[in-house]
Amino acid sequence: MIIGIPKEIMHDEARVAATPETCGKFVNDGHQVLVEQHAGEGALYHDEDYMKAGAIIVNDPLEIYDRAELILKVKEPLFNEQKQRHEVDMMHRGQLLITFIHPASPVNHDMVRRMTDKGITAITLDGIPRISRAQNMDALTSMSTCAGYKGILMAANMLTTFVPPMFTAVGQIKPAKVMVIGVGVAGLQALATAKRLGAITYAADIRPMAVENASSLGAKNVDTKVPPELAIAEGGYANRLPADVLIREQEALRETIQQMDIVFCSALIPGKVAPIIITEEMVKGMKKGSVIVDISIDQGGNCELTPKGGIEQKYGVTLMGIKNIPGLLPTSSTWMFANNVYNLVKYLVKDGQPLLDRQDEIIQKSLVCIDGQLVHAGAREAMGL
């Protein structure tokens, strides 16, 4: 196959979908790899290293989209300001795209429809199931690790106070309080990082196992008031809650949230819009100078006020909705991401062609559109189809 690696065009996105190491593996597997010039510079992976690995450096992204049978990206297709064309419009029927698409998120619905209408075959990395045989393909877990670590550092940087307790000649400064909502991979890394910084940590999750994991890191767990039988979906993920139960969870967490210096939001439902856990009224009651980091923003966000892709202050609270936090840790996150993607391509491609077995759980959960049909269950539900 001809594999294309375009340079990411999202603002401040420094990651790239392949490293020289993984390009070398693709070449050894018999593929031709086209890498856009300077695609890896932001993550400190250089053109000369890609060439040494056997990749071909291409100046124009249009050539990559025109020639490649498989496009590997980090972020969803976006409008390319330099070319004055949307990346979807650069693609062609039958082309296979592998990237993070987040197809259930309303902001991506139009793009997903356009890909479908154009006959593009798309696989979203946020749909890879967390099962044993897919562990080494699970880019969402890898990026969640990065987001948990970096997100807490960013929030700490926004505070006007110390995070750890400080004992000074003029008295003691108490440690910051940090709450993590949604204690999956990102949440656990956030807790561990906050703990290392010296914060007092709190955690909330509707899943009993996640609560147990948070306790093992020394966090004080806040009861969500959600019955376990409603909490757990297939594969151990969090379940979508009925509206009345979600309101009950919001009320159960309100008091603790309003005492926090940092609230880290990472509650997700795979393939679906993220649940709103922090309402505008709750933000109004939070401490002045407190920070909300909402890494669920790609799927809508856990806070009602989170700005999509930016940072804003409302009611004295800093709201962080940056969509590419792993991109701020580009060398490490690219290395992890590229290896995940290589393993997925290795799994999908047989005899030089992608084999998409619709009965395979990995394909079933991650396939967005194929042959002009939108097949992703979460996207169809979110679009009302």
Side-chain angles (χ1 to χ4, degrees), residues 83-114:
K83 293 295 180 181
Q84 286 296 297
R85 289 181 66 181
H86 199 286
E87 287 179 311
V88 170
D89 295 329
M90 299 183 197
M91 300 180 70
H92 53 79
R93 180 171 295 277
Q95 198 167 41
L96 174 60
L97 170 69
I98 297 177
T99 187
F100 279 116
I101 297 172
H102 302 289
S105 180
V107 71
N108 292 328
H109 288 177
D110 180 62
M111 176 266 293
V112 168
R113 289 189 188 99
R114 289 168 64 191

Side-chain angles (χ1 to χ4, degrees), residues 16 48-49 64 161 200 202-203 211 220 235 248 314 324:
V16 62
E48 56 267 30
D49 297 318
I64 290 179
T161 60
I200 298 173
Y202 297 75
V211 169
K220 301 177 182 180
R248 190 190 315 162
K314 291 185 179 178
N324 62 332

Side-chain angles (χ1 to χ4, degrees), residues 339-383:
N339 278 287
N340 291 140
V341 169
Y342 170 77
N343 290 326
L344 177 58
V345 173
K346 183 81 171 175
Y347 179 79
L348 295 178
V349 176
K350 311 297 180 188
D351 299 322
Q353 293 297 322
L355 182 63
L356 303 182
D357 178 4
R358 302 276 290 275
Q359 302 306 309
D360 184 324
E361 183 179 2
I362 295 172
I363 307 302
Q364 195 176 76
K365 296 288 178 63
S366 61
L367 189 62
V368 177
C369 52
I370 188 171
D371 297 332
Q373 293 185 318
L374 175 60
V375 297
H376 188 275
R380 292 184 63 84
E381 179 182 336
M383 293 179 188

Side-chain angles (χ1 to χ4, degrees), residues 32-49:
Q32 185 179 84
V33 183
L34 310 178
V35 178
E36 186 177 347
Q37 187 178 36
H38 306 318
E41 290 295 320
L44 304 183
Y45 297 106
H46 306 297
D47 289 353
E48 56 267 30
D49 297 318

